[in-house]
Structures are given as C-alpha cells and as structure tokens.
Amino acid sequence: MSKPRTLFEKVWDAHLVRPETPETPAVLYIDLHLIHEVTSPQAFTELRQRGLRVRRPDKTLGTMDHSTPTTPRNHLGIIPVIDPMAISQLEQLRKNCAEFGIPLFELGDENQGIVHVIGPEQGLTQPGMTIVCGDSHTSTHGAFGALAFGIGTSEVGHVLATQCLLQRKPKTCAVRIDGRLGPGVTAKDIILALIAKYGVGGGTGYVFEYMGEAIRSLSMEERMTICNMSIEGGARAGMVAPDDTTFEYIAGRPFAPKGADFEAAVARWRTLPTDEGAVFDHELTLSASELKPMITYGTNPGMGIPIDAPVPRPEDMPDARSRAALDKALAYMGLEPGKPLLGHPVDVVFIGSCTNSRLSDLRQAAQFFRGRKVAPGVRVMVVPGSQQVKRAAEAEGLDRIFKEAGAEWREAGCSACLGMNDDKVPPGKYAVSTSNRNFEGRQGPGARTMLASPLTAAATAVTGVVTDPRTLMN
Amino acid sequence: MEPISTITGKAVVLPVENIDTDQIIPARFLKVTDKSGLAAGLFEAWRYLPDGTPNPDFPLNRPEAAGATILISGRNFGCGSSREHAPWALQDYGFRAVLAPSFADIFRSNALKIGLLPVTIEQAIYDELVAMYANDPQMALTIDLAAQTVTLPDGRQVGFPIDAFSKYCLLHGVDQLGFLLNQADAIAAYEASHPQPVKTTG
Ligand code: SF4
C-alpha cells in the first residue's frame, strides 16, 4: 500500500518534471497559464530580448480585465477606452498574443471577463490541474481541486518560455469548516470569519484544503468565493476536493471533455480527494453554524467582525503592536472604537470582483433591489465578472432590477476592486464592497472600504447605512 | 542580474506590520509596460500629502534617510497582490534588501527573482532594530549573503535563512530562467508521457 496522500500532494506529485532536492527546487509542470494586460508585458519583453518563443500557446489564454473601463458600450457597441496608458497596455497584450499565437478574449469579446471568472466558466479549470496567473487571486481555481496560485512577472516569463516553474513544496493545512450556514450568511462570511480568526499571515507557507460539512454543501460559485480569498489569509493556494457538484458544474462547458472523455475524466478526478489517513502539517477550524454576516472595519481583510459587533477598541488588544495597527487603521477609516458599524452611512456600494461577481452573487444581491430604490446619495456599481455572466443576468432580467432601483449596471471587469481603471471610491468616502481587499487606497486614494457579502452590500445599498441583511429578509 | 555578496548600507525603518503591495505601489502606477520609473509610485499614499508635497513625517522623507539601501519593516511584509512592480519599485528607489520578521510568499519569491534580498529576522531582533533606529536614524547594517548573516549596528551578528538555490543564483548573478531552459529535455519527456487536460487553442 502506498502512503496516504492529500489532494495537494497528488496534484503536486503528478506535475513533477523534477522533484526538489536540498540544492534545487522542484520543476513543476503547468497545465494552464492565464495572462492579463497588467502583469504580462515585461515578461514578453524578456522573451523577445532572449529570442525565446512561447513554448505552449495552446496552454495559455489571455483576457483583458484590470485596466479596462466598465463603462457601458457606445452606440456602435464598443466599450470606449480613453486612458492612453490603459490603451497602450491593452494594445501591447493584443500584439503579444497575436505574435506568439496565444488565444485572447479581448475587450468587447463575448467571452471577455475577469481572469478568475472566465477560466471556470469556460470549463478550462478542471480538477487535478496546475493553473497559474500573474495574479494572486488565481487561488480561486482551487475550488475545483486544481493547484492554482499567483505568480510574479518573472515567473510569467518562466512559464511562457518553459511551461514550468521552480517551486519549493509548500506545507499543507486542513481548514475544517463544520456545520451549516444560517439564513443570510454566505460563503463570503465564512472566509471573512476565517481570516478574522487566524489573521492575514496565518496561511503563509501553506496550501489550504477546505473541507467539512459546510464546504460540501456549497455550490461551485460559493467554493470559488472561499478559495479566492485564501491569499488574504496568507495561503498562496486553497483547494476543495472535487465531487459531484464539481463534475456537474464542468459538464457541457466549452472546454470540458465530452462524451466518453468526460466519463473517463470524472473517473480520474474521483481519485483526487485526500486519502483516509493522510497527514496535514497544520489544521484550522471554524464552525459555520455560529457565523453571522461579517464586515471589515479596518485596512486589512483580517480586521473583520460580525456585523452586529462593535468596532474593537485599541485598549482591548493583546499587545502594543496590534494596538498600533488598530489605531492606524481606525484613523484611516475614520471610525470610532467601541461603536457599532451597523447604521454607519455609506457613499458607495460595489458589487463585483473575482470574489463575488458571478450569477449567483448577482441573484442574491438582486433580491434586495427588487421593488426597492437605492438610498439617496449612494452610488451603486454592479459589475458582472464576465460578459457571459452579464448576458445570463440580463436573460433573467437582473439588469432591469438593478437599473430600476437606481444602481449602475456596467460592463465586465475588475472595476472598482483595485482603483486602476475609472471606477473608484472618492477620497474619504465609505464603500461597502464585495471585493477582497480593504487596503488603504485600494479602491482609490483615501477610499474607505468595508468588505462584505453581496447580501450585506445590497441591503446597505437600499438603506444607505451598513445593514444586517437578515433584517430585510422575510 | 548583478551578483550580490555583501550589502552594506544605511537602513530606514518603516515600523508597520502587514504592509501590502497596494501600499508599496498603488495599482494606478501599474499601467506601464516596462519596469522603469516605478520609484515615483513607491509608498505614494504615505510619502505625499494630499496636496502632492512630500509628507515630512514619513520615514523615507526624513533627511537622514537619504541614500538608504536597506528597508526594515514589520511582519508579513508584501502581502496582497502578486505584482512584481512592488519589488521593482523598491529596487528602483534604491533599496537592495528588506529586513522583516516575515514576508508574504509571493513577494518573497518575486524579490528573490530580481535580486532584492528578503532577509527574515526574528521578531525580537526587529524590535531591537526599531529601538536602535529611534536613537540613531543614520544606523547602518551589513548583510553577508554567503555567510547568511546580518551585522547589527552594535556589532552583533545574527543569521538568516535562505533557500540554497536562491542563494546560489543571487551570489552568482544567475537567473532562474536559464536553469529552467536547461531542463528542456526533461520537460519534453514529461509532455510526451502526460495527456493534455485542456487546449486553449480549441
Ligand atoms: S477583481 Fe480585483 S482581485 Fe480580482 S483579479 Fe481583478 S483586481 Fe484582482
């Protein structure tokens, strides 16, 4: 009998071109490399300077998402880009993909979208694969039982040229989430609670495997929300063992195997889950049944509280360093310690990003907009994760619900998640955002971000103040 | 890449934990298609006041910090996005090494690739360095990569860990892509014996 292995170990072992030694890291083969306009141009420059080609354009796919505007199409059906630097970056990606034979979902394409939304929706993301992208939220794809992580631009060049990466084997961490979520509590609340409990550095050096009753009962889109924010917990990758929910999601998607090939793939995928008796280096736990909707009050994703809790007070912190960090965060956020966030006025609500911009997120949000109006003075941006999500939402009439309520229904992209395109939160203004980072200035210089679920964001949009979504549910 | 053996230089302390890559370089500076000029965006929100003038209270703006080549900062340095622009910006500004009690995984990996040395020190040593810097904002350190030691301003030496391969590459100015390119035969053999799960070209 061979030694019991974890899901991660099985995927890792199957991709070793060369195992690691004390002197050299492992050479790890990459099955899918996703690229976008921001972190790839310098890698292509490097390739040209060295006279190298892209080894496997057929394992590479480009999309445009970060610096793209999400303004509605003009009368010609074109999304106008006006920022000259964004234009040059997008042009560069188009040129690089054309020159090296890499397929590209460019702005305006019916498949364009946020890189971590399109991989799964196209059926490109499959169990047991290795997937990388010059973007830290590549961890999203781990929801399918793939080993997926973000890389830097030098490494983007490595993968373009060799389809491989040099990697030291990370440690494994089981993240056990038992119980069932109560009404109004979502996958986003699970991951915000986990990071609040263990901190933003708690997963450094580890690959998370999420398991337990709560995870099993989640849909693929919900699992993606959780894996997406593994990096906010410090873990470069987060994985969920594939099961029938996974296989059903993949079946019939454009790049999924078909017919007998699909059956054969499923048989292979069924061998991936962690073996009985396999050992993890570390374990974290959380009980889903006790969770409430979560919201962040500070300037890193670990600074989160249940929505009805008061903002922590510096004097209650265990040591001087965390006191200083809290002081700094509250000064930036303009929040008073000891006071509840509930009822705090907000200026902007952003529903979007690779964490929460899929169809199920938009459906959840829409339920609070239906028959209601956006509160006066609040700007609400609803940004689908991809053109496909946008079309699917429109087919159900979700766009009309948002627009009739007074929210903006925009084109697909990263939008206000990162303050790189035109969608920003103004200085000093408060935003409730379904994205993943509340860092200082993340959504624009001086922007004050509170991270929450689509339900909490939508409830807040229609009341104008931080609102517990459970109070709007009947 | 230039080989690194020892780095001796003036240090500047930025005593903040969990400094994320959005602080190191905000996203609006990432619209470039090359690596030049990123120093202008380094710690932009902290370095400048809202009116665009330098913030005199920010450690990097103090006169004593001029010419500093070593940055000392709190734990979990470089968390957040995978942007290599963060180490590029630090290097472009003039930093050659960052000392912190811990680093985020992707930042560490990116920094090692470009020859910006991430040096992990114990929390207690970090706390001491913060105190020493308060007394002597001109303090200098020496980092010896071969010996894996940092010489503190008071002459004590402390060790630091570094992966053997990264150390070799930095010491010899070897870049890792060259090593990977030499694996071409092994990569071809791997490809020949493993089915391709997906083909993006249809
Ligand atoms: S939506 Fe935000 S977090 Fe996701 S890939 Fe885009 S910028 Fe990054």
Side-chain angles (χ1 to χ4, degrees):
Chain A
M1 264 267 313
S2 57
K3 180 171 162 286
R5 291 184 298 167
T6 64
L7 164 63
F8 160 76
E9 286 165 327
K10 293 180 193 185
V11 181
W12 174 268
D13 291 349
H15 290 84
L16 287 177
V17 172
R18 255 182 71 159
E20 65 179 346
T21 68
E23 292 77 37
T24 52
V27 177
L28 190 72
Y29 196 80
I30 302 303
D31 292 321
L32 177 65
H33 185 196
L34 302 168
I35 60 172
H36 63 78
E37 73 276 18
V38 178
T39 56
S40 68
Q42 298 86 352
F44 282 103
T45 304
E46 177 90 14
L47 243 55
R48 284 199 189 87
Q49 281 167 355
R50 294 179 176 233
L52 296 168
R53 64 189 179 97
V54 173
R55 182 180 179 92
R56 297 303 297 263
D58 61 333
K59 297 188 178 193
T60 315
L61 176 74
T63 189
M64 297 177 172
D65 54 3
H66 282 68
S67 61
T68 51
T70 61
T71 34
R73 291 166 192 257
N74 65 18
H75 63 288
L76 299 171
I78 291 168
I79 304 164
V81 190
I82 38 179
D83 177 343
M85 289 188 81
I87 291 176
S88 116
Q89 212 166 43
L90 297 171
E91 262 314 311
Q92 194 76 46
L93 182 62
R94 198 172 290 130
K95 184 167 156 267
N96 290 335
C97 286
E99 183 179 330
F100 291 96
I102 297 168
L104 171 67
F105 295 163
E106 58 182 296
L107 193 61
D109 188 292
E110 59 169 21
N111 290 319
Q112 174 267 344
I114 305 174
V115 60
H116 312 308
V117 176
I118 62 166
E121 103 188 337
Q122 291 292 328
L124 285 162
T125 301
Q126 295 172 21
M129 288 172 61
T130 46
I131 302 175
V132 297
C133 172
D135 191 284
S136 59
H137 290 101
T138 309
S139 57
T140 313
H141 306 259
F144 292 78
L147 173 60
F149 53 90
I151 57 178
T153 298
S154 293
E155 290 179 318
V156 170
H158 295 182
V159 181
L160 288 173
T162 69
Q163 204 57 32
C164 289
L165 277 177
L166 292 167
Q167 291 289 303
R168 285 284 170 197
K169 190 176 181 178
K171 291 178 286 181
T172 53
C173 177
V175 181
R176 195 174 300 282
I177 302 176
D178 291 319
R180 289 272 183 144
L181 290 172
V185 190
T186 68
K188 182 67 164 287
D189 303 304
I190 291 183
I191 190 66
L192 285 174
L194 187 82
I195 303 166
K197 183 171 176 186
Y198 293 105
V200 288
T204 305
Y206 293 100
V207 167
F208 283 162
E209 181 181 337
Y210 300 97
M211 54 181 73
E213 185 195 358
I215 298 295
R216 282 299 126 214
S217 63
L218 296 179
S219 70
M220 286 316 294
E221 300 199 346
E222 293 171 309
R223 293 179 190 179
M224 283 189 251
T225 297
I226 292 186
C227 287
N228 173 274
M229 289 189 70
S230 302
I231 185 70
E232 272 61 56
R236 220 171 153 178
M239 304 173 83
V240 174
D243 57 12
D244 288 338
T245 306
T246 320
F247 311 144
E248 276 160 31
Y249 178 97
I250 297 171
R253 294 188 180 263
F255 289 90
K258 306 278 173 329
D261 288 345
F262 183 75
E263 295 312 316
V266 168
R268 268 198 325 278
W269 297 338
R270 286 197 193 282
T271 67
L272 288 168
T274 294
D275 297 328
E276 196 63 41
V279 182
F280 288 85
D281 297 307
H282 192 50
E283 183 172 314
L284 308 177
T285 57
L286 192 73
S287 165
S289 351
E290 291 158 21
L291 292 182
K292 294 178 176 174
M294 296 289 294
I295 190 160
T296 65
Y297 57 86
T299 52
N300 75 47
M303 294 176 161
I305 45 173
I307 194 157
D308 54 4
V311 172
R313 296 181 309 178
E315 56 268 34
D316 298 339
M317 291 289 114
D319 54 63
R321 280 186 285 126
S322 30
R323 251 192 313 277
L326 181 57
D327 276 335
K328 186 173 187 310
L330 294 185
Y332 179 85
M333 292 295 291
L335 291 174
E336 263 181 68
K339 292 228 329 209
L341 277 180
L342 273 181
H344 194 288
V346 305
D347 308 287
V348 177
V349 170
F350 170 56
I351 298 172
S353 92
C354 58
T355 314
N356 283 125
S357 64
R358 298 176 184 85
L359 189 58
S360 58
D361 301 311
L362 301 181
R363 280 182 186 151
Q364 283 199 336
Q367 72 185 56
F368 290 145
F369 287 102
R370 192 175 284 122
R372 290 192 175 92
K373 290 280 179 216
V374 165
V378 179
R379 179 181 184 197
V380 180
M381 287 182 261
V382 185
V383 187
S386 71
Q387 292 295 336
Q388 259 197 46
V389 170
K390 181 163 186 270
R391 279 194 304 277
E394 288 173 353
E396 291 182 9
L398 300 184
D399 59 320
R400 282 200 310 280
I401 296 174
F402 294 126
K403 286 190 279 197
E404 277 164 20
E408 297 170 31
W409 175 245
R410 302 178 70 90
E411 290 292 330
C414 294
S415 183
C417 175
L418 89 165
M420 173 160 192
N421 45 62
D422 303 328
D423 307 349
K424 289 191 178 77
V425 175
K429 299 292 183 193
Y430 289 92
V432 167
S433 176
T434 67
S435 54
N436 43 50
R437 286 180 176 150
N438 51 352
F439 298 146
E440 289 184 27
R442 169 77 178 185
Q443 295 195 282
R448 292 163 162 169
T449 302
M450 300 183 256
L451 301 174
S453 73
L455 280 179
T456 302
T460 300
V462 296
T463 57
V465 296
V466 172
T467 298
D468 184 338
R470 295 172 300 182
T471 60
L472 293 193
M473 294 167 85
N474 35 26
Chain B
M1 199 166 67
E2 290 288 307
I4 299 175
S5 54
T6 59
I7 298 169
T8 297
K10 206 199 277 183
V12 58
V13 176
L14 194 50
V16 180
E17 301 189 334
N18 298 312
I19 291 187
D20 58 80
T21 54
D22 278 88
Q23 300 323 311
I24 301 174
I25 182 142
R28 62 185 184 285
F29 292 98
L30 309 189
K31 291 179 195 166
V32 293
T33 51
D34 60 12
K35 304 178 187 177
S36 61
L38 288 169
L42 183 72
F43 297 121
E44 201 264 354
W46 291 343
R47 244 166 91 198
Y48 300 99
L49 297 170
D51 67 3
T53 57
N55 175 1
D57 293 334
F58 186 61
L60 267 60
N61 289 340
R62 292 190 198 127
E64 315 87 76
T69 54
I70 298 169
L71 179 67
I72 302 174
S73 190
R75 67 181 167 158
N76 198 28
F77 186 85
C79 61
S81 107
S82 65
R83 58 188 73 163
E84 201 163 306
H85 307 70
W88 289 337
L90 287 160
Q91 202 171 49
D92 191 37
Y93 188 85
F95 288 116
R96 301 184 63 205
V98 183
L99 269 66
S102 63
F103 292 89
D105 287 333
I106 306 180
F107 178 88
R108 181 209 308 275
S109 162
N110 287 342
L112 287 167
K113 299 281 181 316
I114 66 162
L116 175 75
L117 190 60
V119 178
T120 309
I121 51 174
E122 280 175 26
Q123 183 68 45
I125 298 294
Y126 167 77
D127 292 338
E128 283 191 54
L129 283 169
V130 173
M132 287 181 200
Y133 181 72
N135 290 326
D136 176 16
Q138 301 273 5
M139 79 179 187
L141 304 174
T142 295
I143 303 162
D144 184 335
L145 177 58
Q148 293 180 224
T149 57
V150 181
T151 307
L152 306 181
D154 61 10
R156 270 179 305 155
Q157 284 193 339
V158 295
F160 66 90
I162 185 168
D163 168 66
F165 181 73
S166 299
K167 177 177 172 179
Y168 175 88
C169 291
L170 292 173
L171 277 173
H172 297 90
V174 174
D175 86 283
Q176 305 195 6
L177 178 53
F179 178 87
L180 269 175
L181 288 167
N182 283 334
Q183 308 293 318
D185 290 348
I187 298 170
Y190 178 92
E191 286 175 332
S193 59
H194 289 76
Q196 178 166 357
V198 289
K199 222 175 149 123
T200 57
T201 43

